[in-house]
Amino acid sequence: EAQVTQNPRYLITVTGKKLTVTCSQNMNHEYMSWYRQDPGLGLRQIYYSMNVEVTDKGDVPEGYKVSRKEKRNFPLILESPSPNQTSLYFCASSLSQSAQPQHFGDGTRLSIL
Amino acid sequence: RKEVEQDPGPFNVPEGATVAFNCTYSNSASQSFFWYRQDCRKEPKLLMSVYSSGNEDGRFTAQLNRASQYISLLIRDSKLSDSATYLCVVRTSGLSGGSYIPTFGRGTSLIVHP
């Protein structure tokens, strides 16, 4: 089954404790991206990757890192999480940057205390 | 001013009603337009692309007005299962020229009641 898998689905942690949210897709998609969704603000792109070893900043990259060492994986790293990073995070992938649809993962709800 | 604006609603309509949502965008160079649907606590899913000439998919009709910089989604004969948040997505070429930055609207909430 074609899918985008994120882990964990839920996480409550404390300020400053490094965390990684994993994202994996099994569709051989070149393009992957991370979004955060906040009430009243909608979905905002954090980082995206057009292919292996090619990543770029989206609209709200501050406080986040990503890597794309393999085509299928695109982890989101919060080196020193802060409460303002409490949000619902979605990973998405598509064949290419211009292709639709983007396939979204189920989401990761992060709470930073 | 946000690049993509949507009326957040909620739009509360009875089954069978026709309902329309608009989405305005500020960048006249925007190139691609889409409607996504997001159910409560779920991921967004592509509903339909929006083409310049307008397009229809069953009960759903999407239209683009480039002159006024808005897109619309019309839902006819609303079903209970249409209750969801509808996200407008506008894609614009990035500063580097080669990238396409997708901008999501905040979404319009639709509640269809019996």
Side-chain angles (χ1 to χ4, degrees), chain B residues 16-87:
Chain B
T18 295
V19 61
F21 311 134
N22 277 349
C23 168
T24 59
Y25 59 95
S26 59
N27 190 335
S28 58
S30 297
Q31 296 156 323
S32 309
F33 309 89
F34 310 91
W35 284 101
Y36 273 71
R37 170 193 168 127
Q38 185 174 23
D39 293 300
C40 188
R41 300 182 186 277
K42 298 281 193 179
E43 75 278 17
K45 291 184 180 176
L46 179 67
L47 179 66
M48 58 198 302
S49 302
V50 186
Y51 302 121
S52 298
S53 54
N55 47 299
E56 193 173 299
D57 183 1
R59 297 181 293 108
F60 299 84
T61 301
Q63 291 196 309
L64 166 65
N65 186 317
R66 283 194 186 272
S68 301
Q69 294 183 203
Y70 75 84
I71 65 172
S72 64
L73 178 67
L74 181 79
I75 305 175
R76 289 182 298 279
D77 188 23
S78 300
K79 312 289 185 195
L80 296 177
S81 57
D82 293 335
S83 298
T85 297
Y86 291 83
L87 305 173

Side-chain angles (χ1 to χ4, degrees), chain A residues 35-65:
Chain A
Y35 296 88
R36 60 178 289 174
Q37 187 172 33
D38 302 288
L41 294 176
L43 275 158
R44 294 177 293 167
Q45 194 179 50
I46 303 170
Y47 267 95
Y48 64 93
S49 169
M50 299 224 274
N51 215 324
V52 175
E53 302 290 3
V54 181
T55 63
D56 209 346
K57 296 177 181 178
D59 292 324
V60 289
E62 295 77 22
Y64 304 94
K65 283 173 57 176

